[in-house]
Amino acid sequence: MTAAARKEELKNLLERLNSGQAAEEVKKEAQELIESISAKELSEAEQELINEGLDEKELRHLCTAHIEAMAEELKELKTNVPVGHPLSTLIAEHEEILKILDRLDQVNSEIQTLESYDAENPVFEELKELGAKLLDTEKHHTREEETLFPEVDKSGVTGPTRIMRMEHDDLWPHKEKISELAEKAGEIDFDKFKKELKEHTEYVVVTLRDHIFKENNILYPTAKDVIEESKWEEIKAQSDQIGYCGFTPEAEINN
Protein backbone atom coordinates (compact mmCIF):
# COMPACT_ATOMS: atom_id res chain seq x y z
CA MET A 1 0.00 0.00 0.00
CA THR A 2 1.36 3.42 -0.93
CA ALA A 3 1.79 6.22 1.63
CA ALA A 4 -1.09 8.11 0.01
CA ALA A 5 -3.36 5.05 0.23
CA ARG A 6 -2.40 4.50 3.88
CA LYS A 7 -3.25 8.10 4.66
CA GLU A 8 -6.63 7.80 2.94
CA GLU A 9 -7.42 4.65 4.88
CA LEU A 10 -6.32 6.26 8.13
CA LYS A 11 -8.48 9.33 7.47
CA ASN A 12 -11.44 7.02 6.94
CA LEU A 13 -10.74 5.20 10.22
CA LEU A 14 -10.32 8.46 12.15
CA GLU A 15 -13.64 9.71 10.80
CA ARG A 16 -15.34 6.46 11.84
CA LEU A 17 -13.78 6.57 15.32
CA ASN A 18 -14.67 10.22 15.82
CA SER A 19 -18.25 9.67 14.69
CA GLY A 20 -18.71 7.16 17.49
CA GLN A 21 -17.98 3.95 15.60
CA ALA A 22 -15.53 2.84 18.29
CA ALA A 23 -16.42 -0.83 18.10
CA GLU A 24 -13.61 -3.25 18.88
CA GLU A 25 -13.17 -4.28 15.24
CA VAL A 26 -12.72 -0.62 14.20
CA LYS A 27 -10.16 -0.09 16.96
CA LYS A 28 -8.31 -3.25 15.91
CA GLU A 29 -8.32 -2.08 12.30
CA ALA A 30 -6.94 1.30 13.40
CA GLN A 31 -4.23 -0.34 15.52
CA GLU A 32 -3.02 -2.47 12.60
CA LEU A 33 -2.93 0.47 10.20
CA ILE A 34 -1.30 2.90 12.64
CA GLU A 35 1.51 0.40 13.24
CA SER A 36 2.40 0.69 9.55
CA ILE A 37 2.30 4.49 9.34
CA SER A 38 4.90 7.06 10.40
CA ALA A 39 4.23 9.91 12.82
CA LYS A 40 4.60 12.33 9.91
CA GLU A 41 1.99 10.48 7.81
CA LEU A 42 -0.32 10.34 10.82
CA SER A 43 0.01 14.09 11.38
CA GLU A 44 -0.58 14.78 7.69
CA ALA A 45 -3.74 12.65 7.69
CA GLU A 46 -5.03 14.51 10.74
CA GLN A 47 -4.18 17.82 9.04
CA GLU A 48 -6.21 16.86 5.96
CA LEU A 49 -9.18 16.04 8.20
CA ILE A 50 -8.92 19.46 9.87
CA ASN A 51 -8.66 21.14 6.46
CA GLU A 52 -11.84 19.32 5.44
CA GLY A 53 -13.70 20.75 8.43
CA LEU A 54 -13.21 18.27 11.29
CA ASP A 55 -13.15 20.11 14.63
CA GLU A 56 -9.60 19.75 15.93
CA LYS A 57 -11.00 19.05 19.42
CA GLU A 58 -12.20 15.71 18.06
CA LEU A 59 -8.59 14.68 17.49
CA ARG A 60 -7.79 15.01 21.19
CA HIS A 61 -9.71 11.87 22.01
CA LEU A 62 -8.49 9.35 19.48
CA CYS A 63 -8.49 5.73 20.58
CA THR A 64 -5.62 4.44 22.70
CA ALA A 65 -4.42 2.41 19.71
CA HIS A 66 -3.32 5.68 18.12
CA ILE A 67 -1.12 6.54 21.10
CA GLU A 68 0.16 3.03 21.89
CA ALA A 69 1.23 2.38 18.32
CA MET A 70 3.42 5.49 18.39
CA ALA A 71 5.42 4.38 21.45
CA GLU A 72 8.30 3.06 19.33
CA GLU A 73 8.70 6.48 17.72
CA LEU A 74 10.02 7.94 21.00
CA LYS A 75 12.68 5.24 21.45
CA GLU A 76 13.90 5.82 17.93
CA LEU A 77 13.85 9.59 18.34
CA LYS A 78 15.88 9.50 21.57
CA THR A 79 18.64 7.51 19.86
CA ASN A 80 18.75 10.00 16.97
CA VAL A 81 19.11 13.29 18.84
CA PRO A 82 22.16 14.18 21.00
CA VAL A 83 21.95 15.60 24.53
CA GLY A 84 21.39 19.34 24.23
CA HIS A 85 19.38 19.08 21.01
CA PRO A 86 16.07 20.98 21.56
CA LEU A 87 14.06 17.76 21.23
CA SER A 88 16.31 15.92 23.69
CA THR A 89 15.84 18.77 26.17
CA LEU A 90 12.05 18.78 25.77
CA ILE A 91 11.89 14.99 26.22
CA ALA A 92 14.13 15.17 29.32
CA GLU A 93 11.87 17.88 30.77
CA HIS A 94 8.85 15.68 30.09
CA GLU A 95 10.47 12.94 32.20
CA GLU A 96 10.82 15.43 35.06
CA ILE A 97 7.26 16.73 34.64
CA LEU A 98 5.93 13.15 34.79
CA LYS A 99 7.73 12.74 38.16
CA ILE A 100 6.09 15.96 39.37
CA LEU A 101 2.68 14.63 38.29
CA ASP A 102 3.27 11.29 40.04
CA ARG A 103 4.14 13.09 43.26
CA LEU A 104 1.23 15.53 42.92
CA ASP A 105 -1.13 12.57 42.52
CA GLN A 106 0.26 11.00 45.71
CA VAL A 107 0.16 14.25 47.70
CA ASN A 108 -3.45 14.87 46.68
CA SER A 109 -4.40 11.31 47.73
CA GLU A 110 -2.71 11.84 51.09
CA ILE A 111 -4.47 15.18 51.68
CA GLN A 112 -7.86 13.64 50.79
CA THR A 113 -7.50 11.30 53.81
CA LEU A 114 -7.01 14.20 56.26
CA GLU A 115 -9.82 15.74 58.31
CA SER A 116 -8.27 19.16 58.89
CA TYR A 117 -5.40 21.44 57.92
CA ASP A 118 -2.24 21.06 59.99
CA ALA A 119 0.58 23.53 59.31
CA GLU A 120 3.03 21.06 60.86
CA ASN A 121 2.19 18.36 58.32
CA PRO A 122 4.98 18.41 55.66
CA VAL A 123 2.53 17.37 52.95
CA PHE A 124 1.25 20.96 52.72
CA GLU A 125 4.75 22.35 52.20
CA GLU A 126 5.35 19.75 49.52
CA LEU A 127 2.12 20.79 47.81
CA LYS A 128 3.48 24.37 47.67
CA GLU A 129 6.70 23.14 46.05
CA LEU A 130 4.74 21.11 43.50
CA GLY A 131 2.49 24.09 42.76
CA ALA A 132 5.57 26.22 42.03
CA LYS A 133 7.00 23.51 39.77
CA LEU A 134 3.74 23.30 37.84
CA LEU A 135 3.93 27.04 37.14
CA ASP A 136 7.58 26.59 36.11
CA THR A 137 6.49 24.18 33.34
CA GLU A 138 5.26 27.26 31.44
CA LYS A 139 8.85 27.92 30.29
CA HIS A 140 8.80 24.50 28.65
CA HIS A 141 5.50 25.29 26.90
CA THR A 142 6.71 28.75 25.85
CA ARG A 143 9.82 27.28 24.21
CA GLU A 144 7.64 24.81 22.32
CA GLU A 145 5.20 27.47 21.16
CA GLU A 146 7.79 30.07 20.17
CA THR A 147 10.59 27.95 18.69
CA LEU A 148 9.36 24.46 17.73
CA PHE A 149 5.72 24.88 16.73
CA PRO A 150 6.28 27.66 14.14
CA GLU A 151 8.83 25.50 12.31
CA VAL A 152 6.45 22.51 12.24
CA ASP A 153 3.65 24.81 11.02
CA LYS A 154 5.82 26.00 8.11
CA SER A 155 5.75 22.44 6.74
CA GLY A 156 1.96 22.72 6.41
CA VAL A 157 1.29 20.27 9.27
CA THR A 158 -0.51 22.56 11.74
CA GLY A 159 -3.00 20.13 13.31
CA PRO A 160 -0.77 18.70 16.08
CA THR A 161 0.60 22.10 17.11
CA ARG A 162 -2.87 23.68 17.24
CA ILE A 163 -4.08 20.87 19.50
CA MET A 164 -1.01 21.18 21.76
CA ARG A 165 -1.44 24.98 22.03
CA MET A 166 -5.09 24.49 22.92
CA GLU A 167 -4.14 22.04 25.67
CA HIS A 168 -1.45 24.42 27.01
CA ASP A 169 -4.16 27.09 27.31
CA ASP A 170 -6.59 24.64 28.93
CA LEU A 171 -4.01 23.46 31.49
CA TRP A 172 -2.78 26.86 32.67
CA PRO A 173 -5.75 27.93 34.88
CA HIS A 174 -5.78 24.52 36.58
CA LYS A 175 -2.04 24.69 37.34
CA GLU A 176 -2.49 28.26 38.61
CA LYS A 177 -5.38 27.16 40.84
CA ILE A 178 -3.35 24.30 42.39
CA SER A 179 -0.56 26.75 43.24
CA GLU A 180 -3.07 29.21 44.71
CA LEU A 181 -4.74 26.50 46.79
CA ALA A 182 -1.36 25.34 48.08
CA GLU A 183 -0.48 28.86 49.22
CA LYS A 184 -3.86 29.42 50.95
CA ALA A 185 -4.55 25.95 52.34
CA GLY A 186 -4.82 27.20 55.93
CA GLU A 187 -7.23 30.02 55.05
CA ILE A 188 -9.89 28.01 53.17
CA ASP A 189 -12.67 25.77 54.50
CA PHE A 190 -10.88 22.41 54.51
CA ASP A 191 -13.63 20.41 52.79
CA LYS A 192 -13.82 23.04 50.04
CA PHE A 193 -10.02 23.02 49.78
CA LYS A 194 -9.93 19.22 49.37
CA LYS A 195 -12.73 19.22 46.81
CA GLU A 196 -11.08 21.90 44.66
CA LEU A 197 -7.61 20.36 45.01
CA LYS A 198 -8.95 16.97 43.90
CA GLU A 199 -10.77 18.44 40.91
CA HIS A 200 -7.83 20.48 39.60
CA THR A 201 -5.21 17.86 40.40
CA GLU A 202 -7.09 15.10 38.60
CA TYR A 203 -7.55 17.32 35.54
CA VAL A 204 -3.87 18.30 35.39
CA VAL A 205 -2.51 14.80 36.06
CA VAL A 206 -4.68 13.08 33.42
CA THR A 207 -4.51 15.84 30.78
CA LEU A 208 -0.81 16.63 31.09
CA ARG A 209 0.23 12.96 31.07
CA ASP A 210 -1.80 12.44 27.90
CA HIS A 211 -0.43 15.68 26.43
CA ILE A 212 3.17 14.58 27.06
CA PHE A 213 2.47 11.20 25.46
CA LYS A 214 1.14 12.86 22.31
CA GLU A 215 4.04 15.28 22.07
CA ASN A 216 6.68 12.58 22.66
CA ASN A 217 5.18 10.04 20.28
CA ILE A 218 3.51 12.13 17.58
CA LEU A 219 4.56 15.79 17.57
CA TYR A 220 8.29 15.45 18.27
CA PRO A 221 8.92 12.65 15.72
CA THR A 222 6.96 14.73 13.20
CA ALA A 223 9.11 17.77 14.04
CA LYS A 224 12.29 15.71 13.53
CA ASP A 225 10.98 14.67 10.10
CA VAL A 226 9.81 18.05 8.81
CA ILE A 227 12.30 20.56 10.27
CA GLU A 228 15.52 21.02 8.28
CA GLU A 229 18.73 20.09 10.11
CA SER A 230 20.11 23.61 9.65
CA LYS A 231 17.20 25.04 11.66
CA TRP A 232 17.91 23.22 14.93
CA GLU A 233 20.85 25.44 15.86
CA GLU A 234 18.59 28.48 15.54
CA ILE A 235 15.88 26.77 17.63
CA LYS A 236 18.50 26.00 20.29
CA ALA A 237 19.67 29.66 20.37
CA GLN A 238 16.08 30.89 20.69
CA SER A 239 15.43 28.33 23.45
CA ASP A 240 18.50 29.54 25.37
CA GLN A 241 17.15 33.08 25.13
CA ILE A 242 13.71 32.12 26.50
CA GLY A 243 15.26 30.15 29.35
CA TYR A 244 14.74 26.77 31.00
CA CYS A 245 12.81 25.28 33.90
CA GLY A 246 14.28 24.90 37.37
CA PHE A 247 14.12 21.12 36.85
CA THR A 248 15.73 21.03 33.36
CA PRO A 249 18.78 18.71 33.52
CA GLU A 250 22.03 20.72 33.48
CA ALA A 251 23.51 18.47 30.78
CA GLU A 252 20.74 19.53 28.41
CA ILE A 253 21.31 23.25 28.97
CA ASN A 254 25.10 23.20 28.71
CA ASN A 255 25.52 20.99 25.62
Side-chain angles (χ1 to χ4, degrees):
M1 191 188 296
T2 65
R6 282 202 303 273
K7 278 197 286 186
E8 280 305 312
E9 192 174 336
L10 181 63
K11 279 170 61 183
N12 177 263
L13 283 166
L14 292 181
E15 284 169 334
R16 286 160 64 194
L17 286 164
N18 284 319
S19 67
Q21 292 184 42
E24 282 309 307
E25 59 268 24
V26 182
K27 289 184 179 180
K28 187 171 184 294
E29 209 178 322
Q31 174 84 50
E32 288 168 0
L33 179 63
I34 290 167
E35 284 171 357
S36 72
I37 197 168
S38 72
K40 183 184 175 190
E41 288 174 322
L42 179 64
S43 297
E44 286 171 350
E46 291 180 347
Q47 183 63 47
E48 286 177 31
L49 280 171
I50 289 170
N51 292 346
E52 289 165 13
L54 178 72
D55 186 338
E56 62 205 44
K57 290 180 183 176
E58 295 297 313
L59 294 175
R60 295 175 66 183
H61 306 292
L62 291 176
C63 67
T64 52
H66 176 157
I67 301 292
E68 289 168 1
M70 293 292 110
E72 289 304 310
E73 294 278 356
L74 180 60
K75 289 181 190 173
E76 189 181 338
L77 179 60
K78 285 173 82 170
T79 62
N80 288 331
V81 290
V83 171
H85 185 287
L87 289 176
S88 174
T89 304
L90 292 169
I91 292 165
E93 286 173 339
H94 275 173
E95 288 169 3
E96 295 304 312
I97 294 169
L98 287 170
K99 290 176 193 171
I100 292 166
L101 295 177
D102 286 346
R103 192 59 200 139
L104 177 64
D105 204 15
Q106 291 165 0
V107 164
N108 173 56
S109 294
E110 194 175 328
I111 288 173
Q112 295 304 320
T113 67
L114 303 177
E115 291 183 7
S116 62
Y117 174 77
D118 177 4
E120 299 300 309
N121 189 330
V123 76
F124 292 102
E125 194 56 42
E126 185 167 9
L127 182 62
K128 283 185 188 177
E129 290 170 14
L130 291 167
K133 285 180 177 178
L134 281 178
L135 297 185
D136 195 23
T137 62
E138 286 303 299
K139 284 181 189 166
H140 168 92
H141 298 324
T142 299
R143 264 181 282 116
E144 288 179 325
E145 291 189 9
E146 294 187 12
T147 72
L148 186 71
F149 291 5
E151 294 301 325
V152 174
D153 290 345
K154 282 177 190 174
S155 74
V157 179
T158 62
T161 57
R162 282 161 66 187
I163 294 161
M164 295 303 101
R165 280 192 188 95
M166 182 170 60
E167 291 186 357
H168 289 171
D169 291 345
D170 287 350
L171 280 158
W172 170 250
H174 295 277
K175 292 191 285 187
E176 201 172 31
K177 188 64 179 178
I178 290 167
S179 179
E180 182 189 316
L181 286 166
E183 292 297 329
K184 297 183 176 178
E187 304 166 25
I188 307 169
D189 173 79
F190 197 64
D191 285 338
K192 182 173 186 267
F193 165 78
K194 286 201 300 183
K195 181 176 180 293
E196 291 192 10
L197 180 66
K198 184 174 187 290
E199 175 192 328
H200 293 288
T201 293
E202 287 179 353
Y203 182 88
V204 168
V205 169
V206 170
T207 306
L208 192 46
R209 277 177 182 159
D210 180 62
H211 178 87
I212 285 170
F213 221 94
K214 285 183 283 194
E215 287 191 331
N216 280 353
N217 298 308
I218 299 171
L219 179 63
Y220 294 171
T222 299
K224 183 72 170 64
D225 276 349
V226 302
I227 296 175
E228 293 175 16
E229 277 304 314
S230 59
K231 278 285 178 186
W232 289 109
E233 203 172 310
E234 187 183 320
I235 291 171
K236 169 69 172 169
Q238 290 172 339
S239 297
D240 289 346
Q241 218 168 15
I242 291 166
Y244 296 89
C245 308
F247 50 79
T248 308
E250 283 293 322
E252 292 290 342
I253 301 170
N254 299 324
N255 265 287

